Amino acid sequence: PAMAQKLGLGRTALPEEIAAWNGDISPDGTGLPIGQGDAIEGEEIFATKCAACHGDFAEGIGNWPKLAGGKDTLNHEDPLKTVGSYWPYLSTAFDYIQRSMPYGDAGTLGDDETYAILAYILYSNDLIEDDFVLSNETFLDVAMPNADGFIVDNRAETEYAHWRSEPCMENCKAAPVKVTMRAMVLDVTPQEEAAAVPAPEVEAVVAEPVQE
Amino acid sequence: MTHKPSRRQFLRNTVAAGAAITVAGKADAQSPDPLITEVQPWAQSFGDGVDETPYGLPISYENDVIRRNVEWLTADTVSSINFTPIHALDGTITPQGCAFERHHSGAIDLKKEDYRLMINGLVDTPLVFTYADLERFPRENHVYFCECAANSGMEWAGAQLNGAQFTHGMIHNMEYTGVPLRTLLEEAGLDTAGDLKDKWVFVEGADASSNGRSIPMEKALDDVLVAFKANGEALRKEHGYPVRLVVPGWEGNMWIKWIRRIEVMDAAVQAREETSKYTDTLADGVSRKWTWEMDAKSVVTSPSPQSPITHGTGPLVITGLAWSGRGAITRVDVSKDGGMTWETARLAKAGEKMALTRFYLDTDWDGSEMMLQSRAMDDTGYVQPTKTQLREVRGLNSIYHNNGIQTWLVRANGEAENVEVS
């Protein structure tokens, strides 16, 4: 393509700078650091750095994410999406753990620590044995159960093709419209604290015929 | 869900302002109005001097026009969401101070002097820019909506949250000033990348979560902005100060805040935010990925549960917002009977591409119950679907991209409620 004239702004990034920030790891393992760890080492680190939120067995505590379990639940009413049941690539887990975990103290894990923690998560998902050494060399040997569980956005065929017709304007429903569900029944909407002023009685609005 | 004051308190607050004027229509005054016949303090003495407020906030009477959090939605507040008070706003521009926030590791404090933007990967020369460098590139201005992919996501399984702020408020619409991403990529040089058709950029933020996302080169070279001003002023801290990505029409997660690095790549990284999250699971357990565009959508903002009718029968302004990530809104229809019959609303001005559009239906309310709906159309001919239509294709577990038609049940007393209808 025809490129615009350069303005000569910015300066060349140094290799050390690129290395410091370029942490992304691709599904084929590109970007993985040299290192290794197993689930036994990982269990100890996980207990210290991760279990307070994610549970001793990566099963999650309270509202915090569950990292293990949920096998074969993706077509259930309430699917449990974890590293084992849902994530397609192991690279994502390494990348995310090393870059953004532990929550509140991100970017502090060494390469071997990350391999070990990830091995423990895989072990907790029954995806590896406890003597499996996860390393940059064995990384692609781990089969992720839901690797084939994703399709590229297909709305163009499944939705747009059908929803571009002129819409109905009158008599659009076969039967009279009825309310089928009400948010007030659930009553989970946050509500305001009581007003400081005494609330006036709310009078019902009296419906009156429109005066023409 | 520790505190849950009564529904009565909520209505008390929302209705209090209008409670004194429940008489319908224009009633002739029985006695002179003292607000007219007596000299009021504001007409007699002074107001505030010009040195009172170097940077002002809304008047105290508007204290309810604020972002709101829904505690039970997330584990804590730093990887969480809050909601724009769309029920109380008009026009299309969102005031930055109440525009929704979504962070994955909190709103960070990053000053311009400390700011660096790196471009690396398949470029001729990897570059580092300072904030001052960015201000020297030719700029553009554009108005776009930023809608969280999860907006209305809590409503997939049914009517849950009672208010347009909560069901549709993960959105804001601002006028951005910035540099096209294309300009910055060309400054680094793309000859090395070869055929650009199959190339990607991976973009990440400076915060701990990083929020890295892969964007196809075609979009990156099209209309993506590296923005540093919104609605005329610097970005707010919580919206990415000093620099964020603006990705017109695409899900809000890709609008990387505090952007620090752009890498030109051969393939998508498949980062956490495009595998574990922002993938949409269908009924058979297979999940869509890369569902980037936000489809045409609309909502009636008033009347709505937080904005009940308090003036009785007679003239009523039904108003709302419509938008589409695939182009401009061309038409909005409104139904008062749950979709049996429709009237075409008036657009405040012609829809603009990937921006909020305001619609009005000026009507005469006879006091009978209404099931209010709005239905948006965009310039691709797409008609906003019902929730039933969406569920037929996707099931109930998509989490993201719920653009189904919303229904408010407006009762004879003017109160409104989030419902679903047959």
Side-chain angles (χ1 to χ4, degrees):
Chain A
M3 292 294 168
Q5 199 180 352
K6 293 185 185 187
L7 295 180
L9 293 168
R11 52 122 180 127
T12 303
L14 300 176
E16 299 88 332
E17 294 171 330
I18 295 172
W21 276 8
N22 185 7
D24 55 85
I25 297 162
S26 295
D28 67 1
T30 303
L32 276 176
I34 294 169
Q36 62 171 57
D38 63 27
I40 297 165
E41 296 156 2
E43 181 174 24
E44 209 167 304
I45 306 168
F46 196 89
T48 315
K49 300 192 173 185
C50 318
C53 298
H54 295 296
D56 286 337
F57 306 100
E59 80 282 15
I61 291 178
N63 237 350
W64 296 104
K66 299 166 173 55
L67 309 180
K71 191 170 181 251
D72 297 330
T73 64
L74 297 179
N75 58 357
H76 290 194
E77 196 177 323
D78 271 316
L80 174 53
K81 299 179 179 183
T82 69
V83 175
S85 69
Y86 192 63
W87 292 37
Y89 306 109
L90 196 54
S91 56
T92 310
F94 191 99
D95 176 317
Y96 184 68
I97 294 166
Q98 190 156 57
R99 193 196 296 255
S100 299
M101 288 285 134
Y103 192 55
D105 195 23
T108 57
L109 297 173
D111 296 337
D112 288 348
E113 279 185 303
T114 306
Y115 279 110
I117 289 170
L118 187 49
Y120 182 68
I121 294 170
L122 293 172
Y123 174 72
S124 301
N125 276 289
D126 301 320
L127 295 177
I128 58 170
E129 300 297 325
D130 63 359
D131 59 353
F132 182 86
V133 179
L134 186 68
S135 72
N136 50 302
E137 286 175 0
T138 63
F139 205 79
L140 296 180
D141 298 343
V142 181
M144 298 295 277
N146 198 40
D148 298 325
F150 294 81
I151 54 171
V152 174
D153 184 2
N154 64 353
R155 284 177 289 178
E157 303 85 62
T158 57
E159 300 181 5
Y160 304 151
H162 312 292
W163 298 343
R164 279 183 177 149
S165 52
E166 187 64 26
C168 176
M169 297 300 284
E170 279 178 32
N171 295 317
C172 299
K173 300 203 173 182
V177 182
K178 285 194 181 117
V179 170
T180 56
M181 218 178 271
R182 302 176 52 197
M184 275 185 175
V185 173
L186 272 179
D187 198 20
V188 292
T189 309
Q191 316 206 332
E192 308 299 305
E193 298 297 342
V197 290
E201 284 303 312
V202 178
E203 291 171 43
V205 179
V206 181
E208 290 183 349
V210 179
Q211 308 285 322
E212 293 294 342
Chain B
M1 255 188 301
T2 47
H3 88 102
K4 208 170 59 183
S6 73
R7 177 180 151 263
R8 198 165 58 85
Q9 279 171 348
F10 186 51
L11 281 173
R12 208 183 260 173
N13 287 350
T14 46
V15 181
I21 45 168
T22 51
V23 179
K26 57 174 181 212
D28 285 333
Q30 301 299 306
S31 56
D33 185 347
L35 282 167
I36 298 171
T37 56
E38 291 171 17
V39 177
Q40 299 299 312
W42 56 83
Q44 185 176 8
S45 59
F46 297 129
D48 295 337
V50 295
D51 59 347
E52 183 72 20
T53 316
Y55 198 110
L57 288 171
I59 196 165
S60 60
Y61 313 117
E62 297 295 317
N63 274 353
D64 62 320
V65 186
I66 51 171
R67 299 166 179 145
R68 286 181 173 84
N69 173 37
V70 176
E71 218 178 309
W72 56 266
L73 280 178
T74 50
D76 76 350
T77 55
V78 301
S79 181
S80 194
I81 188 86
N82 64 24
F83 299 85
T84 304
I86 56 169
H87 64 286
L89 302 177
D90 211 318
T92 58
I93 296 295
T94 313
Q96 292 198 79
C98 65
F100 89 103
E101 304 167 63
R102 202 289 187 241
H103 319 301
H104 292 80
S105 50
I108 60 167
D109 188 326
L110 176 56
K111 61 176 185 241
K112 288 176 181 171
E113 292 79 1
D114 293 343
Y115 180 76
R116 298 290 183 273
L117 175 62
M118 182 184 291
I119 298 187
N120 70 308
L122 302 173
V123 292
D124 302 341
T125 313
L127 293 175
V128 172
F129 298 111
T130 62
Y131 179 82
D133 293 332
L134 295 181
E135 283 200 331
R136 297 172 67 190
F137 284 98
R139 291 171 215 169
E140 294 184 5
N141 289 279
H142 298 279
V143 177
Y144 295 122
F145 73 80
C146 172
E147 182 185 19
C148 181
N151 199 22
S152 316
M154 296 83 74
E155 304 289 310
W156 266 112
Q160 275 221 79
L161 287 162
N162 211 30
Q165 177 169 22
F166 302 107
T167 57
H168 290 74
M170 297 181 193
I171 194 166
H172 56 59
N173 192 67
M174 302 189 191
E175 183 197 46
Y176 293 98
T177 300
V179 178
L181 176 54
R182 178 186 191 104
T183 306
L184 300 182
L185 290 170
E186 286 174 349
E187 188 71 19
L190 290 172
D191 291 343
T192 304
D195 187 354
L196 296 177
K197 273 205 194 83
D198 58 355
K199 295 299 181 296
W200 295 74
V201 293
F202 180 68
V203 183
E204 65 180 14
D207 62 316
S209 84
S210 145
N211 198 41
R213 286 289 310 247
S214 306
I215 300 173
M217 184 61 85
E218 188 185 1
K219 179 72 173 176
L221 295 178
D222 181 12
D223 55 5
V224 176
L225 273 187
V226 175
F228 40 80
K229 295 276 167 74
N231 294 350
E233 60 181 355
L235 298 172
R236 294 292 171 96
K237 172 175 107 171
E238 60 272 30
H239 297 138
Y241 181 94
V243 184
R244 83 171 307 162
L245 206 63
V246 167
V247 191
W250 288 22
E251 59 187 15
N253 178 257
M254 306 178 84
W255 294 47
I256 317 296
K257 297 187 284 190
W258 315 290
I259 174 178
R260 81 168 191 187
R261 194 172 69 90
I262 299 159
E263 181 178 359
V264 176
M265 302 185 73
D266 273 325
V269 168
Q270 312 268 11
R272 187 252 196 182
E273 306 293 333
E274 53 199 354
T275 53
S276 169
K277 306 297 175 190
Y278 307 99
T279 49
D280 316 347
T281 302
L282 305 171
D284 63 1
V286 170
S287 303
R288 288 174 177 163
K289 66 176 180 180
W290 302 343
T291 46
W292 299 312
E293 292 95 346
M294 300 305 292
D295 289 323
K297 186 168 175 178
S298 67
V299 64
V300 171
T301 52
S302 182
S304 67
Q306 296 158 285
S307 181
I309 302 171
T310 56
H311 54 56
T313 56
L316 169 69
V317 174
I318 298 172
T319 187
L321 292 166
W323 60 96
S324 170
R326 302 188 64 83
I329 291 296
T330 52
R331 182 174 125 191
V332 180
D333 298 331
V334 171
S335 174
K336 297 173 193 164
D337 57 11
M340 184 71 88
T341 53
W342 295 86
E343 298 170 71
T344 298
R346 170 171 64 88
L347 304 186
K349 59 178 182 179
E352 291 172 32
K353 283 193 179 306
M354 286 90 79
L356 291 190
T357 300
R358 171 65 58 178
F359 66 84
Y360 297 104
L361 185 72
D362 305 298
T363 193
D364 214 342
W365 185 48
D366 64 5
S368 56
E369 200 169 89
M370 295 185 284
M371 288 181 270
L372 280 184
Q373 298 184 335
S374 61
R375 180 176 69 191
M377 290 174 68
D378 70 20
D379 59 9
T380 71
Y382 177 95
V383 181
Q384 183 184 358
T386 62
K387 292 182 180 180
T388 305
Q389 282 177 298
L390 282 175
R391 288 170 185 150
E392 279 168 4
V393 178
R394 305 187 197 168
L396 296 176
N397 287 321
S398 280
I399 301 176
Y400 307 107
H401 293 279
N402 181 354
N403 66 321
I405 289 173
Q406 173 67 46
T407 310
W408 306 127
L409 174 66
V410 182
R411 299 181 185 288
N413 67 3
E415 288 179 20
E417 186 184 342
N418 176 12
V419 298
E420 294 209 6
V421 294
S422 56

